[in-house]
Amino acid sequence: MVLLFDLRFFGLWTLWWCCLVTGSRGCQMQYVGIINVTTDLQSDVLLPCNFEATLLGSNKTAHIAAVWRQTTIPADNLVEIKLQGEVMFWNNRDKRIKTFPKLSESGNFSILLRNVQQSDLGLYRCELHVGVNCRIAYQEVQLGVSEYQKTIIAGTSGVVVLLLLPACVCCTGIKGRFCMRQEGVQASGKRDTKEEVIYENDMELRSVKSTCRGCSQNPKQESSIYVNCERNKM
């Protein structure tokens, strides 16, 4: 009886261990490869994702799905495409992502990205999931700008620099002339102020002399005019 119980326990333990080993091997991610795709901004581009039938298995009702995400933006899952053709979007980029559900049964999980923007450029990953939290394979797509558009962007940047350079020189010259004018105005203002002070002092001196007619007009005694005048006033 005890021997029979031990055999049953050993059999269950062996079955559990086999399932664990098989499951762990099945969830090991296989790197398929990377594809470089170039496009022009504001155009449509196909991001390819194809998995072999050996990865999909023979069970067409299994819970198998491909998940697209952009790795250059953390945690930015885009869309999930199931083997049976069901599609679930997390971020459809303002309805610019188009899927092909009828092709997923054959292992084709490619997507079409419309009206490509600058923020769309970067590295994408297409992961094949089986069940829950079990990724068995993935492939990457590097999306970049075509050489033709790079040339256009570089040429446009050069033209902009050439157009801005004369404007900068002109602004610098205008600023210099403006500063010179300001300095001239300040200098003339200082001269006018000095002349006004001298004029006011001269007028004050004349008024004092005219008021104090009995005071000495000797130039050497000009310093005592104010004293004599003050005494006369008293």
Side-chain angles (χ1 to χ4, degrees):
M1 188 70 179
V2 176
L3 182 60
L4 182 61
F5 176 77
D6 291 340
L7 290 175
R8 288 179 179 177
F9 177 77
F10 180 75
L12 291 174
W13 182 84
T14 304
L15 180 62
W16 175 81
W17 177 255
C18 291
C19 292
L20 180 63
V21 173
T22 305
S24 62
R25 287 181 179 177
C27 285
Q28 291 181 352
M29 276 214 305
Q30 176 183 348
Y31 177 63
V32 177
I34 184 171
I35 301 175
N36 294 315
V37 178
T38 58
T39 185
D40 296 333
L41 296 178
Q42 299 181 352
S43 62
D44 300 343
V45 62
L46 182 70
L47 304 182
C49 178
N50 295 277
F51 294 106
E52 296 180 358
T54 54
L55 293 173
L56 302 176
S58 58
N59 186 6
K60 299 301 181 182
T61 61
H63 185 66
I64 299 176
V67 176
W68 276 95
R69 65 188 182 94
Q70 186 176 4
T71 60
T72 51
I73 302 177
D76 187 23
N77 292 331
L78 301 177
V79 60
E80 176 182 336
I81 308 172
K82 293 184 178 181
L83 185 64
Q84 295 78 20
E86 299 178 12
V87 178
M88 181 176 65
F89 284 100
W90 284 293
N91 183 2
N92 62 2
R93 300 288 174 87
D94 297 328
K95 299 181 179 181
R96 292 188 295 112
I97 296 179
K98 176 180 174 56
T99 60
F100 307 94
K102 295 181 180 180
L103 301 178
S104 59
E105 188 174 348
S106 61
N108 188 350
F109 299 95
S110 304
I111 60 175
L112 180 69
L113 183 59
R114 295 173 173 171
N115 191 18
V116 176
Q117 305 297 316
Q118 185 70 32
S119 58
D120 296 328
L121 304 178
L123 184 64
Y124 290 81
R125 176 178 287 190
C126 178
E127 299 178 348
L128 188 64
H129 291 242
V130 176
V132 181
N133 296 328
C134 181
R135 295 174 292 181
I136 60 175
Y138 74 98
Q139 70 179 47
E140 294 177 328
V141 178
Q142 181 68 45
L143 180 61
V145 179
S146 63
E147 294 296 331
Y148 174 74
Q149 189 145 31
K150 285 182 181 179
T151 305
I152 294 177
I153 294 174
T156 304
S157 302
V159 171
V160 171
V161 171
L162 291 176
L163 290 176
L164 290 178
L165 185 60
C168 293
V169 174
C170 181
C171 291
T172 304
I174 294 174
K175 184 178 179 181
R177 289 195 296 270
F178 179 74
C179 292
M180 292 177 63
R181 289 178 181 177
Q182 281 190 331
E183 291 177 356
V185 170
Q186 291 178 357
S188 61
K190 291 180 180 179
R191 290 195 299 269
D192 294 340
T193 304
K194 292 181 179 178
E195 292 176 357
E196 290 177 359
V197 172
I198 295 173
Y199 178 75
E200 290 178 358
N201 292 336
D202 184 62
M203 292 298 294
E204 183 179 358
L205 183 60
R206 290 180 182 179
S207 62
V208 170
K209 288 182 178 180
S210 61
T211 306
C212 187
R213 295 178 179 177
C215 298
S216 174
Q217 300 297 325
N218 191 349
K220 296 182 179 179
Q221 297 179 355
E222 286 182 357
S223 59
S224 61
I225 292 176
Y226 296 100
V227 178
N228 296 329
C229 290
E230 291 295 331
R231 289 177 181 178
N232 293 335
K233 290 179 180 179
M234 293 175 61

